[in-house]
Amino acid sequence: IRFNLVELMNNICGGQIIKAQEKGLKFYLDIDSRLKNKMIFGDPTRITQIIFNLVSNAIKFTPEGTVWVRATSLGDRHNTLTINFTVKDTGIGIEDTNLEAIFEPFTQESITTTRQYGGTGLGLAIVKRLLELQNIQMNVNSKLGEGSEFSFNMEFPVSTEKPVCANEAAPEHPVDPMG
């Protein structure tokens, strides 16, 4: 369906920002200004599931520090927009030997991690599956004790219709009915 990515990202991250702040974390949502007035076609429900799971994990596995969420335009060609989504944190990180395992259902990095942080261990398995269904590869960079970064690129058809802003629909100078 047709949607505005900026609105969607703000909706996804709204509650997450509060969660992060309650935990004492800094939270940054950085959306490329070139995406501001773009209407794209895609599946906002799937994007929500992916971003929500990645952000939830970033908050969960970051005892202190910062969580960043970015949506960056990589270019608009032939009415197709490529967007890079990145979720980065200063959390506990992941050991190199466990990078593949964390995407398996019900698997977390270690028993200690499961005991300390809880959760079902399904978040990343869901994210991986949703991306695989669209032939999208997830990139993961992580350093133990320093944090993790999950990113992927997604292409969207761009709507050629211009979005109507609420203030554009109303006349610029209200007519005085007494006037």
Side-chain angles (χ1 to χ4, degrees):
I1 63 170
R2 191 170 163 261
F3 67 98
N4 178 284
L5 185 69
V6 175
E7 282 176 25
L8 182 69
M9 292 297 288
N10 280 309
N11 290 341
I12 296 168
C13 293
Q16 301 286 51
I17 290 169
I18 294 164
K19 259 190 204 165
Q21 289 171 341
E22 284 172 352
K23 197 173 171 181
L25 303 175
K26 291 186 186 108
F27 189 104
Y28 297 103
L29 174 57
D30 177 23
I31 305 169
D32 192 325
S33 60
R34 292 174 291 181
L35 300 173
K36 191 175 173 191
N37 293 318
K38 297 263 189 212
M39 295 303 287
I40 58 177
F41 290 98
D43 188 338
T45 304
R46 297 285 178 248
I47 295 165
T48 299
Q49 290 172 315
I50 293 165
I51 300 297
F52 185 87
N53 275 306
L54 291 174
V55 174
S56 292
N57 273 359
I59 293 169
K60 184 194 305 187
F61 296 111
T62 303
E64 59 184 15
T66 309
V67 172
W68 294 270
V69 180
R70 289 192 185 97
T72 308
S73 172
L74 300 180
D76 187 349
R77 297 176 51 167
H78 310 296
N79 289 329
T80 301
L81 187 59
T82 304
I83 299 171
N84 171 265
F85 294 91
T86 303
V87 177
K88 185 178 177 183
D89 63 62
T90 58
I92 61 172
I94 305 155
E95 224 168 302
D96 287 348
T97 54
N98 292 328
L99 282 175
E100 285 302 311
I102 60 167
F103 289 102
E104 297 307 314
F106 310 111
T107 302
Q108 291 185 335
E109 194 181 13
S110 69
I111 297 298
T112 311
T113 304
T114 305
R115 283 196 192 119
Q116 189 173 352
Y117 296 95
T120 60
L122 282 173
L124 288 177
I126 291 168
V127 166
K128 182 181 183 199
R129 186 73 183 121
L130 290 173
L131 290 173
E132 279 176 350
L133 289 170
Q134 300 174 66
N135 293 319
I136 296 171
Q137 184 70 41
M138 169 74 75
N139 300 308
V140 185
N141 291 309
S142 188
K143 283 201 174 108
L144 201 58
E146 290 183 27
S148 303
E149 179 176 299
F150 293 82
S151 66
F152 59 93
N153 295 341
M154 202 177 256
E155 286 190 349
F156 299 92
V158 179
S159 173
T160 50
E161 292 177 46
K162 292 281 179 229
V164 177
C165 295
N167 59 359
E168 286 176 17
E172 236 175 89
H173 302 285
V175 178
D176 182 0
M178 303 308 234

